[in-house]
Amino acid sequence: MPPRISNSSARCIGRALPTQNPQCFSRPPAIPWLTRTSQASSQRHYASAVSPIPLGALRLPDDYIPPTKPPSARRPETRKSQLLRAYTALLRSTPLILFFQHNNVTAVEWAAVRRELRKALQEVEAPFVASDGKVPADVAGSVELQVLRTRIFDIAFRVVEFFDPKIASKQSKAYTHDLSPAAYESIKAANLADPNSTYATMSPLLSGPVCAVTFPAVSPAHLAAVLKIMAPSPPAFPAPTRRKNPGYYELTAQSGLQKLLLIGGRIEGKAFDGEGVKWVGGIEGGMEGLRAQLVHMLQSAGLGLATTLEGGAKGLWLALEGRRTQLDEEKNPKQETAEAEAEKKE
Amino acid sequence: MITRFITEVNAKFNPFSVASRSTRLFLSSLPSDARSTGMKINAKLLPQTSKETASLMVKFKDGKEMDLNGEQLGIKGIIEEVDRHSRALQKQADLTDG
């Protein structure tokens, strides 16, 4: 970037220098950059519709580092602001999160747990193609186990729950991202103890050492696979057999898994305890299965209703008809019986 | 915290209750090799709707059983109570070992 000197000061210096004459171009200028600035000033267009400088030249290079913000020595994902944004994105995009308490799990045990988890998820059969032709998302590859920093996760939960950027952008023109003052104000003003909010139900869970298993979609088959590994409960979710999966019974994996406690889950924005999570994991066929069940239930209910309503009407009709024939027979027994026979023939 | 003399820990808590926090923290303060050194740790989780209070039972090598109320004591109180007995056992063990 060339050094900047405002026009007035450049002219002052120019006048002060005896040898310098901006109008005279016969002689080579004594101080080249001074005259260049004055030339540039004469060429300048004010309030012109089309800028002579191309827009691309105004853009900063991609690797530009502002001098007031030197790059941090810390990894960006461990920085608190970045972590908060990561957690809010996680909470907004992930429909199914399981929370586990981990009690002093060592690094090798984590590795073993993750290995078993990956193996169990790979064995889950890919779900069938839905009736509308949509192929369900690949869940198995994106299920992740991560240790949470609960305090920041708590704040992120508040931002997701109590801050709506759309409403905030209508109210004022200020920034409405998750780190903005608008977000801060709204979570500060929110009633955190409101019993109807998911946050109030979930916030006691998020204390102490907590890790989360995140699923990109609500897939009961994959949820069941994870529960069988991390929180086995014999009748519905048995642990894999020793013959089928010997790695699961390895000492490090077992000691790691014993230290994990399923404390709850967040499914479609609602809080579930361990039993609730297991109920969701027990839904056969996933959402499609649930829809099929609902359709079947509604159909059978409809059929039952129709027969019930019909039955009443039929009973009434039969009674009235019986009474009519009885009265007719009493009036003129012979004729009516003949007519009735004729009606029957018709 | 001295965990050498603890042989069994039974905890029961509802994770959705704020009062069960200290019981959960006690479980997390046990060392990572606790199970492999012979300590029995049983944790039972209550359902979300249960109003039952959190309970914590700690058994020591000399047979003493301690029922701790985490809601009143807090995590510091629990550790203090457990350590008080553990220190006595430690003193005895040091004397007998010579």
Side-chain angles (χ1 to χ4, degrees):
Chain A
M1 202 187 269
R4 282 183 185 157
I5 283 185
S6 66
N7 291 327
S8 57
S9 63
R11 247 172 250 137
C12 291
I13 298 167
R15 257 179 259 128
L17 290 167
T19 52
Q20 179 65 30
N21 188 1
Q23 267 74 45
C24 177
F25 294 105
S26 56
R27 268 193 292 174
I31 305 165
W33 57 267
L34 267 178
T35 47
R36 214 180 297 141
T37 47
S38 60
Q39 274 174 3
S41 71
S42 64
Q43 284 171 1
R44 189 167 284 175
H45 304 284
Y46 290 101
S48 58
V50 184
S51 169
I53 310 158
L55 269 173
L58 288 172
R59 243 185 97 224
L60 289 167
D62 290 332
D63 57 345
Y64 174 74
I65 295 158
T68 50
K69 287 182 185 170
S72 170
R74 295 169 67 187
R75 283 186 291 137
E77 62 267 27
T78 60
R79 289 167 67 179
K80 282 184 183 172
S81 54
Q82 187 61 25
L83 206 58
L84 183 83
R85 294 173 61 201
Y87 284 155
T88 49
L90 185 83
L91 281 166
R92 287 201 180 106
S93 64
T94 312
L96 172 47
I97 309 178
L98 299 185
F99 295 104
F100 288 87
Q101 179 175 346
H102 60 96
N103 301 325
N104 285 325
V105 183
T106 58
V108 277
E109 287 166 356
W110 276 125
V113 168
R114 289 207 168 95
R115 181 195 67 210
E116 289 308 315
L117 210 59
R118 223 175 299 131
K119 200 181 168 196
L121 285 166
Q122 276 168 2
E123 282 167 6
V124 177
E125 283 178 24
F128 56 89
V129 179
S131 54
D132 54 345
K134 274 187 203 164
V135 181
D138 170 39
V139 177
S142 336
V143 174
E144 276 181 12
L145 171 64
Q146 56 178 311
V147 172
L148 298 178
R149 288 188 56 182
T150 46
R151 186 67 195 143
I152 294 189
F153 194 80
D154 191 74
I155 304 288
F157 211 135
R158 282 184 211 175
V159 170
V160 170
E161 191 96 337
F162 301 111
F163 173 61
D164 192 355
K166 281 177 190 165
I167 294 170
S169 63
K170 274 175 200 164
Q171 283 168 353
S172 74
K173 296 217 167 190
Y175 288 118
T176 56
H177 57 275
D178 294 336
L179 299 167
S180 61
Y184 172 74
E185 292 299 334
S186 63
I187 64 167
K188 210 177 164 197
N191 178 18
L192 299 179
D194 177 23
N196 296 323
S197 68
T198 317
Y199 171 78
T201 341
M202 299 280 292
S203 60
L205 283 186
L206 304 168
S207 67
V210 172
C211 69
V213 180
T214 53
F215 294 74
V218 181
S219 160
H222 292 89
L223 176 58
V226 169
L227 287 177
K228 277 174 191 171
I229 294 292
M230 294 181 73
S233 55
F237 303 99
T241 55
R242 195 181 286 270
R243 185 177 292 173
K244 203 177 174 188
N245 191 357
Y248 181 78
Y249 290 92
E250 202 189 313
L251 199 65
T252 44
Q254 273 300 308
S255 63
L257 291 163
Q258 279 170 349
K259 292 176 196 168
L260 294 172
L261 289 172
L262 175 64
I263 49 174
R266 178 181 179 266
I267 303 170
E268 302 277 358
K270 287 194 178 66
F272 281 78
D273 61 350
E275 291 302 314
V277 167
K278 278 171 189 164
W279 174 75
V280 174
I283 298 169
E284 282 178 18
M287 281 307 277
E288 291 303 312
L290 210 60
R291 270 186 212 124
Q293 272 181 26
L294 184 68
V295 166
H296 176 73
M297 199 173 76
L298 288 174
Q299 272 178 348
S300 56
L303 203 68
L305 191 69
T307 47
T308 317
L309 290 172
E310 214 179 51
K314 209 183 260 175
L316 187 67
W317 181 79
L318 279 172
L320 287 174
E321 197 65 16
R323 180 70 184 149
R324 203 189 76 175
T325 48
Q326 196 187 355
L327 286 172
D328 285 349
E329 276 173 12
E330 278 174 7
K331 270 183 186 170
N332 37 3
K334 282 171 192 174
Q335 281 182 8
E336 278 301 309
T337 45
E339 274 182 18
E341 279 172 10
E343 275 179 10
K344 273 180 189 171
K345 277 173 190 173
E346 280 173 4
Chain B
M1 193 171 73
I2 307 163
T3 54
R4 263 180 66 199
F5 302 100
I6 300 174
T7 54
E8 198 178 328
V9 175
N10 288 316
K12 193 168 70 172
F13 59 88
N14 174 11
F16 284 90
S17 130
V18 186
S20 69
R21 189 160 164 255
S22 50
T23 313
R24 283 175 62 192
L25 288 176
F26 179 78
L27 285 179
S28 71
S29 67
L30 298 170
S32 62
D33 61 342
R35 280 188 178 83
S36 59
T37 52
M39 195 191 291
K40 283 180 195 163
I41 302 170
N42 302 313
K44 197 190 167 203
L45 281 96
L46 298 168
Q48 190 182 345
T49 48
S50 97
K51 299 282 176 198
E52 214 174 322
T53 54
S55 73
L56 179 67
M57 199 276 281
V58 183
K59 208 186 250 180
F60 291 89
K61 266 186 183 164
D62 65 337
K64 186 184 163 107
E65 286 182 18
M66 218 180 237
D67 276 318
L68 298 157
N69 185 355
E71 295 183 17
Q72 285 177 357
L73 291 171
I75 181 63
K76 279 185 182 172
I78 290 176
I79 287 176
E80 201 179 309
E81 288 292 316
V82 169
D83 269 358
R84 183 180 297 160
H85 191 67
S86 291
R87 273 197 301 273
L89 291 177
Q90 175 98 59
K91 199 176 264 179
Q92 265 184 350
D94 287 348
L95 287 170
T96 49
D97 288 349

